[in-house]
Amino acid sequence: MGDQVGEAVSGTLYYVPYHEFERIRALPSSTIEKSIIFAAFGRINTLYMIARAGSGHIGSSFSSMDIMSWLLINEVRTPAESDTTSPRDIFFSSKGHDAPGLYNVFIGLGRLEFDLIHTLRKLGGLPGHPDIFTPNIVTNTGSLGMGISKAKGMIFANRLLKRTGNVFVLTGDGELQEGQFWESLVSAVNHKLHELVVVIDHNKLQSDTLVAKVSDLGNLEAKLSAFGWHVSRCDGNDLTAFSRTLAGAKSVTDKPKVIIADTIKGKGVSFMEHTSIDSDVENYKFHSGAPTAEAYVDAAQELINNANAMLKVFSAAPLELEFVIRPTVVLGGNPQRLIQAYSAALIDQARKNPNIVALDADLILDTGLIPFQDLYPEQFLECGIAEQDMVSQAGGLALNGCLPIVHSFSCFSSSRPNEQIYNNATEKTKIIYVGSLAGILPGGPGHSHQAVRDISALSAVPGLTLIQPATEEEMVSTLDWAINQNIHSTYIRFSSLPWEIPFQTPTDYKLEKGRGYTLTEGEDVVLVSYGAVMLSQAYKAAEALKRQGVGMKVVNLPWLNVVDVNWLNTLIGSTKLIVTIDDHYVTGGQGEQLIAAMTKVNFLGDCDVRSLGIDRIPYCGTNSELLEAHKLDSENIMSQVKLMLYENNK
């Protein structure tokens, strides 16, 4: 299927086969020239990988591709496993978003199986963010800022075990907003960790906008020098400059080293490149997500043309490419778009309440806050990649008479600032925390972004009510309740995915604390859950069971840490089997809290209660793959309920 490409064709995805990388490494040219072409090939394959997966991070992968290629081809020493005496270097990226780029460097070097290029964000393939169970990945990423701390631990272990080698860490410049980055600098100097080389991918952009617009890094060289580090700076996309700067840094033997590598986000594709630090860019378009069909064709053509131009300089044959037809994604009817519903509801509330202040942690696009910022700029605070700072700012706003509404992904908003949330609660002020991207889906980003422990992390916070709406109508009611009815604080958790649901919110439904509503009727089983994803699977399972003569009552209970036990007891009636489903770890989820609440008032009697949910670190993959793998799809729910009924009736 290998072929030279004249014009890229719409609907077709192109990638560089492995033998082409081997050809480049064999060229009679300098290491710099070969590394430049290698990186050009890597960009083509990174674009392919993200387009095929339907999601990923182009801009960050492209800005750091030259750096990663040079380090892994020319600098990082990896002797055979049997060689325990030669120096062994470690390289990892603390950014996480550049995983597609990093994978393609490993693939081009033959250090990952080539066929994995087709498996980004698929079950059993390459996870959306680094995971140590992928070959050559030495540490997981999570909330940003962990990289230098992890590297220090690796160096301390090497010293203790009498091993030699350097540790190279790549960080992003948006990452420098996290406090842990700055905390990690001091002891590295105290311990003279000369083995540590940090490279900052300084592309000037964080997820949403310019770093300088949010938390200007100022004189970064002076700041890092003040901590006692050896600091150097260069053009990170110019491998001649970068290699010389790295060589100079490596000669320093009494302190840790940091290289500020000035790069261009989206480097390699003209319309993806962000080149002006003085521009008024509000939202960089190619931070995350797959390119449109048109953008893919244009980007692929430009990358292919550039690669062929480089090959021509060395009198080498043009690039041979493989291709596949781009997968299509069809969204079914009645999708619930909770981000858009929330965005509109927040604007409506702000019209009536000038004390509302929305705070964001560098996710203004993903949390639906762009329209709010446009209409109410004085009531909007962009706090950047600094969740602890954001939550404490909210605490100060609340103490001085405002109603702060805090926004981030659930995985970050519930964990990193957990102590700050508790501190706010001890002051008994009112704050609303909004956590999107909640639950196991989407599965593509991987476990660092799957919020499946936030209910347990926040349920015990005094005065904090947790709630998850399943539909657009329920979202509007939830925000209204949190703002206008609840006198205490609220955590609103919801999935960001547009999700097709087979049910409707009852027209006469009114949100009442601790109560929900019935989606299907049945006397054999009562199933309680929440959220569009799990309720949809439960509803489909109930319909299938009904055809087999089994009646299952499916109940939507949006309240995650409170229940009206009298209402629930009436709903259960004489049913002897209750099943709960959590879009969360079973431990600490809604199911366990329901059982505890009913046991406390002795409402369970001889009723059997079973809990389904996440029981292991979540997999990475497509949405359908993950639901099936964790036995939370409708087929598996139906089978498990039938088995429970059988066991109860024995």
Side-chain angles (χ1 to χ4, degrees):
M1 194 167 60
D3 197 7
Q4 296 177 16
V5 175
E7 295 293 327
V9 178
S10 180
T12 303
L13 302 179
Y14 300 91
Y15 63 92
V16 181
Y18 181 62
H19 66 80
E20 289 289 84
F21 286 94
E22 292 182 304
R23 176 166 72 104
I24 292 308
R25 296 204 300 276
L27 283 175
S29 55
S30 73
T31 55
I32 288 177
E33 291 164 338
K34 288 192 286 189
S35 298
I36 290 171
I37 300 175
F38 183 98
F41 286 10
R43 286 187 173 93
I44 294 171
N45 283 3
T46 298
L47 183 70
Y48 164 82
M49 186 182 274
I50 293 171
R52 177 162 183 152
S55 62
H57 296 84
I58 296 173
S60 188
S61 292
F62 279 17
S63 69
S64 59
M65 179 62 73
D66 301 303
I67 295 168
M68 293 191 292
S69 296
W70 179 262
L71 288 173
L72 289 167
I73 293 171
N74 304 296
E75 298 291 345
V76 177
R77 297 164 293 183
T78 53
E81 290 297 327
S82 58
D83 183 351
T84 58
T85 59
S86 298
R88 181 181 299 277
D89 297 332
I90 296 171
F91 168 79
F92 66 91
S93 174
S94 180
K95 300 191 329 177
H97 288 160
D98 54 6
L102 179 57
Y103 293 147
N104 277 296
V105 176
F106 285 138
I107 287 170
L109 290 172
R111 293 173 61 182
L112 273 178
E113 292 182 19
F114 189 84
D115 283 349
L116 288 172
I117 196 173
H118 311 301
T119 68
L120 179 66
R121 301 190 169 207
K122 294 192 182 332
L123 189 67
L126 296 172
H129 288 74
D131 184 275
I132 62 168
F133 297 103
T134 304
N136 302 294
I137 300 298
V138 298
T139 181
N140 294 352
T141 57
S143 191
L144 292 172
M146 301 179 185
I148 295 177
S149 302
K150 289 276 185 86
K152 290 192 300 184
M154 294 173 183
I155 293 170
F156 291 141
N158 281 347
R159 289 182 173 186
L160 179 65
L161 301 174
K162 311 301 182 189
R163 296 188 298 228
T164 59
N166 296 319
V167 179
F168 298 86
V169 182
L170 184 64
T171 76
D173 47 9
E175 183 172 4
L176 272 56
Q177 295 168 25
E178 289 282 18
Q180 186 175 353
F181 173 87
W182 299 98
E183 289 179 41
S184 69
L185 299 179
V186 183
S187 68
V189 175
N190 286 1
H191 292 282
K192 297 184 179 354
L193 299 187
H194 59 87
E195 306 97 320
L196 179 55
V197 182
V198 175
V199 181
I200 299 173
D201 179 21
H202 194 23
N203 60 38
K204 321 300 186 295
L205 285 166
Q206 49 195 81
S207 298
D208 288 333
T209 189
L210 289 164
V211 174
K213 277 189 165 186
V214 180
S215 293
D216 192 345
L217 296 174
N219 190 338
L220 187 55
E221 291 168 87
K223 289 180 179 177
L224 294 168
S225 295
F227 278 89
W229 285 57
H230 173 81
V231 183
S232 50
R233 189 165 193 161
C234 67
D235 182 342
N237 295 131
D238 179 342
L239 288 185
T240 299
F242 180 72
S243 60
R244 288 174 180 168
T245 304
L246 183 61
K250 286 168 63 180
S251 67
V252 175
T253 59
D254 62 345
K255 62 177 66 175
K257 287 87 74 169
V258 58
I259 298 173
I260 304 168
D262 291 297
T263 61
I264 296 172
K265 197 156 187 175
K267 176 67 175 177
V269 176
S270 56
F271 64 87
M272 293 182 176
E273 291 183 353
H274 183 265
T275 57
S276 173
I277 62 172
D278 299 317
S279 75
D280 195 35
V281 64
E282 285 296 334
N283 295 288
Y284 174 72
K285 296 179 181 178
F286 300 100
H287 171 71
S288 64
T292 64
E294 181 180 3
Y296 174 80
V297 169
D298 291 343
Q301 189 67 64
E302 185 173 344
L303 291 170
I304 293 165
N305 290 345
N306 290 342
N308 280 329
M310 294 178 198
L311 291 168
K312 189 174 182 179
V313 170
F314 303 112
S315 300
L319 184 60
E320 289 189 1
L321 296 167
E322 304 282 342
F323 65 89
V324 299
I325 303 302
R326 185 172 189 168
T328 57
V329 178
V330 179
L331 193 62
N334 194 30
Q336 297 299 289
R337 293 180 169 88
L338 299 189
I339 289 287
Q340 290 89 331
Y342 173 78
S343 179
L346 180 62
I347 289 171
D348 184 59
Q349 293 290 340
R351 289 194 189 103
K352 310 167 199 171
N353 189 341
N355 292 332
I356 288 175
V357 179
L359 298 89
D360 173 65
D362 191 37
L363 291 167
I364 187 172
L365 176 64
D366 297 284
T367 53
L369 290 176
I370 293 175
F372 183 91
Q373 183 191 33
D374 291 342
L375 289 170
Y376 303 102
E378 293 183 356
Q379 294 171 242
F380 175 79
L381 284 176
E382 177 53 73
C383 304
I385 308 170
E387 296 87 358
Q388 294 174 325
D389 179 56
M390 175 176 65
V391 168
S392 290
Q393 285 189 64
L397 283 162
L399 287 169
N400 270 19
C402 291
L403 176 57
I405 305 183
V406 176
H407 301 79
S408 187
F409 287 160
S410 294
C411 52
F412 304 137
S413 62
S414 61
S415 54
R416 176 146 286 201
N418 192 273
E419 183 179 0
Q420 287 73 19
I421 292 172
Y422 180 74
N423 178 272
N424 289 344
T426 64
E427 295 172 340
K428 298 187 177 180
T429 53
K430 177 173 175 175
I431 299 172
I432 298 171
Y433 304 95
V434 179
S436 52
L437 205 75
I440 195 173
L441 302 183
H447 52 69
S448 64
H449 284 59
Q450 291 163 307
V452 291
R453 59 190 182 93
D454 53 324
I455 298 175
S456 58
L458 294 175
S459 285
V461 175
L464 185 64
T465 301
L466 282 56
I467 183 169
Q468 178 162 345
T471 66
E472 294 171 3
E473 295 94 332
E474 200 168 35
M475 172 62 82
V476 175
S477 299
T478 296
L479 185 61
D480 182 73
W481 180 85
I483 292 174
N484 300 311
Q485 297 179 51
N486 188 16
I487 61 173
H488 302 296
S489 295
T490 309
Y491 172 63
I492 303 174
R493 172 191 207 258
F494 63 95
S495 172
S496 302
L497 286 172
W499 196 261
E500 180 185 2
I501 60 170
F503 58 88
Q504 299 286 343
T505 304
T507 55
D508 60 346
Y509 173 64
K510 180 182 178 182
L511 196 67
E512 295 182 68
K513 189 171 183 178
R515 298 186 174 198
Y517 59 88
T518 299
L519 304 181
T520 63
E521 295 295 341
E523 300 297 328
D524 299 306
V525 187
V526 172
L527 186 149
V528 182
S529 192
Y530 52 87
V533 174
M534 294 306 158
L535 286 173
S536 295
Q537 301 307 309
Y539 185 96
K540 293 174 184 177
E543 292 295 292
L545 287 168
K546 183 178 180 180
R547 292 190 290 271
Q548 299 177 36
V550 177
M552 183 164 74
K553 180 182 291 186
V554 177
V555 178
N556 172 21
L557 181 60
W559 309 92
L560 304 176
N561 66 334
V562 62
V563 61
D564 182 332
V565 289
N566 291 312
W567 164 83
L568 185 60
N569 191 51
T570 301
L571 199 72
I572 293 168
S574 60
T575 304
K576 299 301 181 184
L577 175 62
I578 303 171
V579 179
T580 67
I581 301 182
D582 266 293
D583 193 1
H584 183 276
Y585 284 125
V586 172
T587 301
Q590 183 196 63
E592 285 196 348
Q593 298 192 47
L594 285 182
I595 294 170
M598 297 185 72
T599 302
K600 190 179 295 184
V601 293
N602 198 31
F603 274 180
L604 286 177
D606 60 352
C607 190
D608 186 19
V609 184
R610 308 283 188 93
S611 295
L612 304 178
I614 314 301
D615 58 2
R616 68 195 74 182
I617 296 172
Y619 299 117
C620 175
T622 66
N623 297 334
S624 58
E625 286 174 339
L626 256 66
L627 289 175
E628 182 177 1
H630 287 279
K631 298 185 178 181
L632 293 172
D633 61 310
S634 59
E635 287 291 324
N636 271 296
I637 292 171
M638 179 186 69
S639 298
Q640 290 175 91
V641 169
K642 287 174 65 177
L643 178 60
M644 293 171 191
L645 283 169
Y646 172 76
E647 291 172 346
N648 277 9
N649 292 329
K650 281 199 300 184

